[in-house]
Every structure is written in C-alpha cells, then in structure tokens.
Amino acid sequence: MTPPNAPDRLTRFVERLGAMVGAEPDIQEVPPREPGDGEVFALVFADVPEPGFVTGFTYGLSPWQRANGQPPARELCITMRSGDQAWARVPALAVAALRGFCPFSPGGVIGYMKPYVAGSGLSSLVLAGPAPALALPEAIDLADSGATPEDLVRIVGAYPIHASEREAIRSRGPATVWDSRWDPYDPGRPAVV
C-alpha cells in the first residue's frame, strides 16, 4: 500500500496517467482554500485525446479523502474541445474550494457564481464517469505491486453545464441533461434546458 501522503504518490499518478493518454502533463499548482488541507494540482494535457482538445486531471482530492477517512479516493477529470488551458484547471479549482464540503460523487452537481472560463456561459459541473473519449479505467492503481483498495484512485468526470441545467438536474435528475442532444466537450454550446 502507498501511504496517502507519500511524496512519490503524485509522481506515480502522473506516470500512470501519462502512460494511459500518451502525453506528459503541465503540472500547475492551485492554491487550496485552507493551506492545511494540502496541495492541489491541475494536470494539464494539451491536445489530448486529440489535437484541438484540452484535458485536465486533479491531484489533491484523493490524499485528502484518505487522510480524512472518506473512501473511495477520487480525482476529477475534464475534457473540452478547446485550446484554452483554463478549462483543464476548472476541476482543480473546484477541489481546492470544496474539499470537505462536497463528496465529488458521480451524479452530483457543483455550481459557481460566474462562468468558469471567459467567453463561455458554463458555470457549473455535473459529475459522472470519465470522458468516453479518453478510454480510461474507472480507477488507477498507484501500487507497485499487490494493489489494495487504498491504492486505487477513482476517476470522476467533470462536465461543464449551464446554471439552468444545474437546477434542472437538481430537481429532475441527471437524465435531464444526459438524455438530451448535447455536446459535453463544446465550451460554447447553448443550454439544453
């Protein structure tokens, strides 16, 4: 078992992700709400899963969850059809602000007061499985050998949505958006509700 706060845990996570997506990330630190909560990083992959896309993963939620006895350990992932790397930082900003207040469970929604990225109307997130375009497993094993449940980090997809969609999901459930004709990778898409 790899201890949750082991210094090489971030390195292992980055190596495993890099091998899965075939690229190395730009690692950007995001200031946490409370310095004592530990570090939060945005792992930014340009042109992943293909040119014209940006993908971002968080790192900082899973060690915090383990240290505070909140299994299963999770990290968030976003993929957008954009060259703007600000999209890749969105989940890390949410983690930095909401650790301890939000379980970051699939099916949940997270709201923000303004659009996440300038020029887009998307100001909330709906959480679900990782983006199908990435073909990732549901969990990443951080053990060198003999994995235990504590060595697994579940990947939760973060999909930007409009405030009206967030409210519809809260009142009628996630199918309100998922069953509509929408492009979850389009930063300029119109609201479906």
Side-chain angles (χ1 to χ4, degrees):
M1 179 177 97
T2 306
N5 56 355
D8 65 341
R9 194 170 177 84
L10 171 60
T11 302
R12 289 178 195 218
F13 188 67
V14 169
E15 287 172 354
R16 304 283 194 295
L17 281 176
M20 289 177 191
V21 302
E24 289 191 28
D26 175 22
I27 302 171
Q28 302 175 11
E29 190 167 356
V30 175
R33 179 181 39 80
E34 294 290 333
D37 285 347
E39 298 172 311
V40 177
F41 296 96
L43 311 178
V44 179
F45 291 88
D47 294 322
V48 170
E50 60 186 63
F53 281 75
V54 64
T55 293
F57 289 84
T58 63
Y59 185 80
L61 180 58
S62 62
W64 187 92
Q65 287 175 316
R66 283 196 174 89
N68 289 281
Q70 295 185 357
R74 298 183 173 110
E75 294 294 348
L76 305 185
C77 172
I78 189 172
T79 297
M80 296 299 284
R81 189 181 306 104
S82 176
D84 190 343
Q85 294 190 1
W87 284 110
R89 291 175 53 88
V90 168
L93 294 169
V95 166
L98 298 173
R99 278 187 301 194
F101 298 106
C102 176
F104 297 99
S105 300
V109 289
I110 298 169
Y112 192 56
M113 296 300 293
K114 59 183 181 175
Y116 284 119
V117 176
S120 173
L122 303 173
S123 62
S124 301
L125 297 171
V126 61
L127 305 177
L134 295 175
L136 292 175
E138 287 186 26
I140 296 174
D141 180 0
L142 297 184
D144 284 330
S145 64
T148 67
E150 291 79 26
D151 293 313
L152 297 176
V153 175
R154 306 238 179 269
I155 303 298
V156 175
Y159 299 88
I161 57 175
H162 291 272
S164 62
E165 295 166 332
R166 179 187 72 227
E167 295 310 315
I169 289 170
R170 284 185 175 155
S171 64
R172 298 185 300 241
T176 304
V177 172
W178 290 115
D179 292 347
S180 67
R181 296 180 136 228
W182 73 308
D183 180 354
Y185 308 121
D186 180 2
R189 70 175 179 79
V192 296
V193 291

